[in-house]
Amino acid sequence: MSIKRIRMAMVGGGEGAFIGAVHRIAARLDGQIDLVAGAFSSDPKRCLSTGQTLGLDPARCYGDYQSLITGEAQLTADKRADFIAIVTPNHLHFPVAKMAIEHGFHVLSDKPATLTFAEVQQLANLLEQNTSLYGLTHTYTGYPMVKEAKHRVISGELGAIRKVVVEYSQGWLSQAADEQGKQAKWRLDANTSGISCCMGDIGVHAANLVEYVSGLAITELCADLNQVLPGRALDDDGTVLLRFNNGAKGVLMASQIAVGEENNLRLRIYGEHASLEWAQMDPNSLWLRPHNAPAQLLRAGVGPLSEAAMTALRTPAGHPEGYLEAFANIYRNFAAQISAYKAGQVSSNEAFDVPGIDQAVRGMAFIYNAVAASKQDSKWHPFTMDH
């Protein structure tokens, strides 16, 4: 049976961008999505150059996102893009998403969803008033063994969750000279990044991973965010104590000044009967440690795994599946969600395992709550949804 490909347009991700190429690789990995248009840069010449390198029709390499959205909207339904991927700095996420939704396009956006909490509330309201689908690229939920960990928690193998520890350590902003890079400049600027650098960039990934795998919701937190290098206006390091809706406690550590670290995202979940441990830099492995029994190393593609994990796998055992494949799982699931929508079938984010507006709102709430709590002398603060 032939598969009708989903058409994608991209905003951002031009020459010199870090994440744009990753999105494009992920989108085409399964052969279900075609890139048909883009506004890759605010520089029209650079945008056209990027588009030509990618083999696009020059007429569909637009000078800005406004022209892209209005131009694609004028095309016939069998030609125009089905969804728009947003891979820009944070300050453009909301205006691009808003205009795209208002013109009937689906949206898949980088995280965090918006620059401010007020914007993410507007985005949620806009989606309630329209039929567009919305996805958020919380990439780490796409790993097969993360899905297996979630399954093990849901199945009750761990028993009641008692404690969660998540760490996300990087070292790429550990020196003052690192601030001069393109990716660093916008992340350390509140006008383009928002109220947080470290928590907004990687801490929010850690918080999302905790809630995704554990099935718990953060209800209170105590935060200590820091600007370790002198002169920085936004945090580059932080620790957050967590309380969850079942009474469990947790710790979230995030740092971009941890010298020598690359992309060390590590999750540990402790239940009453067993614990789980997963690390992004060894993604095919999941440790299951029962009480008073030998630890078990679960490996991707080896032995019986959950349907969710098996569906996310592409290669035989012993062939590492990493960041690009996890990213591609988000894109593949979103493409399937759009296909179901077109066919008039159930197309909820939950049904297709795609992070959506609920995760977008909670992510922005986490950032705002962590920043606010860090400024206060009192210890615990409620995880509020009003900022």
Side-chain angles (χ1 to χ4, degrees):
M1 183 177 66
S2 63
I3 297 174
K4 191 170 184 179
R5 293 189 178 187
I6 301 299
R7 296 178 296 276
M8 176 180 84
M10 178 172 283
V11 177
E15 297 171 2
F18 159 66
I19 204 67
V22 172
H23 277 264
R24 289 190 289 269
I25 292 169
R28 67 174 178 259
L29 187 62
D30 292 293
Q32 298 178 8
I33 298 172
D34 286 331
L35 177 67
V36 297
F40 303 106
S41 171
S42 56
D43 180 341
K45 290 183 179 180
R46 184 176 298 173
C47 175
L48 180 59
S49 175
T50 300
Q52 289 178 325
T53 300
L54 296 170
L56 296 185
D57 179 351
R60 298 179 78 175
C61 298
Y62 301 88
D64 51 56
Y65 75 84
Q66 295 95 333
S67 299
L68 181 149
I69 293 170
T70 56
E72 290 295 303
Q74 293 173 10
L75 300 178
T76 58
D78 62 331
K79 297 290 185 184
R80 65 179 242 169
D82 294 302
F83 78 98
I84 294 176
I86 304 173
V87 300
T88 66
N90 301 348
H91 69 294
L92 290 173
H93 290 182
F94 176 67
V96 177
K98 179 177 183 293
M99 186 174 180
I101 293 165
E102 289 174 341
H103 283 75
F105 293 100
H106 306 299
V107 171
L108 187 63
S109 175
D110 257 343
K111 47 70 13 218
T114 58
L115 186 72
T116 69
F117 192 79
E119 286 180 348
V120 82
Q121 288 179 311
Q122 292 179 54
L123 181 61
N125 292 334
L126 185 64
L127 287 165
E128 285 185 359
Q129 298 164 12
N130 291 270
T131 59
S132 295
L133 302 175
Y134 178 86
L136 197 66
T137 54
H138 272 303
T139 314
Y140 303 105
T141 66
Y143 280 96
M145 299 314 281
V146 166
K147 296 184 184 299
E148 181 65 18
K150 181 181 178 70
H151 168 76
R152 299 279 174 149
V153 172
I154 292 173
S155 69
E157 194 164 353
L158 275 64
I161 304 302
R162 292 173 169 173
K163 186 177 180 67
V164 178
V165 179
V166 63
E167 174 190 1
Y168 200 156
S169 297
Q170 300 175 334
W172 72 289
L173 289 178
S174 61
Q175 311 299 317
D178 297 332
E179 299 171 11
Q180 302 308 310
K182 178 180 178 180
Q183 300 303 319
K185 284 183 177 179
W186 75 257
R187 283 178 171 83
L188 289 166
D189 184 348
N191 294 317
T192 50
S193 182
I195 64 171
S196 169
C197 175
C198 183
M199 285 298 152
D201 191 28
I202 61 175
V204 68
H205 267 313
N208 173 263
L209 185 65
V210 164
E211 293 195 333
Y212 178 80
V213 175
S214 72
L216 304 177
I218 300 168
T219 56
E220 293 180 275
L221 50 75
C222 171
D224 181 20
L225 310 188
N226 310 294
Q227 295 84 37
V228 174
L229 268 69
R232 287 184 175 169
L234 300 179
D235 55 289
D236 51 19
D237 175 83
T239 302
V240 184
L241 302 180
L242 307 170
R243 286 177 176 170
F244 296 93
N245 57 333
N246 75 332
K249 306 294 176 61
V251 182
L252 185 155
M253 298 171 286
S255 181
Q256 293 165 313
I257 53 84
V259 175
E261 294 285 8
E262 298 173 13
N263 198 60
N264 186 10
L265 173 60
R266 180 184 178 203
L267 174 68
R268 286 168 282 168
I269 299 181
Y270 301 95
E272 58 183 335
H273 303 311
S275 66
L276 288 170
E277 179 177 352
W278 178 82
Q280 195 270 158
M281 293 181 68
D282 185 18
N284 277 28
S285 297
L286 175 67
W287 281 100
L288 173 67
R289 297 186 174 96
H291 177 61
N292 283 341
Q296 300 175 37
L297 176 59
L298 308 174
R299 292 282 292 168
V302 179
L305 296 174
S306 65
E307 182 181 352
M310 293 301 294
T311 301
L313 284 167
R314 292 179 174 78
T315 58
H319 296 77
E321 298 203 34
Y323 186 69
L324 294 173
E325 291 85 355
F327 226 121
N329 284 332
I330 302 290
Y331 268 92
R332 181 175 63 183
N333 290 357
F334 193 60
Q337 187 180 2
I338 292 174
S339 295
Y341 171 89
K342 287 184 169 184
Q345 301 168 356
V346 173
S347 58
S348 68
N349 289 74
E350 293 77 13
F352 287 88
D353 198 12
V354 175
I357 190 60
D358 291 341
Q359 289 72 32
V361 173
R362 286 197 65 81
M364 289 303 299
F366 170 78
I367 296 166
Y368 268 66
N369 279 302
V371 171
S374 184
K375 294 178 179 178
Q376 303 299 318
D377 292 330
S378 56
K379 186 176 179 181
W380 288 101
H381 299 266
F383 189 97
T384 65
M385 305 295 287
D386 183 18
H387 295 277

